[in-house]
């Protein structure tokens, strides 16, 4: 995972799906997306991946 600064949610979600290795449905996205305003960095990506993993288990 390279260090990134995400200026749009689209870029963030695209990388999130790549890291998760599957598409993220809108319902999941609304539950795991960062609540803070953009821009987002890799710490938000890691947090979203963690939330996604806990939802999948």
């Amino acid at each position: 995972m390279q260090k990134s600064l995400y200026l749009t949610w689209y870029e963030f979600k695209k990388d999130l799906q790549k890291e998760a290795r599957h598409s993220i449905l809108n319902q999941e996205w609304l539950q795991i997306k960062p609540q803070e305003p953009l821009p987002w960095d890799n710490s938000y990506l890691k947090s979203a991946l963690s939330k996604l993993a806990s939802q999948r288990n």
Side-chain angles (χ1 to χ4, degrees), residues 34-45:
Q35 298 304 307
E36 292 79 5
L38 288 162
W40 300 325
D41 62 20
N42 276 28
S43 66
Y44 291 102
L45 189 65

Side-chain angles (χ1 to χ4, degrees), residues 5-28:
L5 184 62
Y6 298 97
L7 302 177
T8 68
W9 68 265
Y10 177 79
E11 294 171 333
F12 182 88
K13 188 176 178 190
K14 187 173 74 170
D15 278 359
L16 181 61
Q17 291 178 130
K18 187 190 306 182
E19 291 291 326
R21 298 183 182 190
H22 65 83
S23 295
I24 296 171
L25 303 175
N26 287 340
Q27 183 178 357
E28 288 178 307

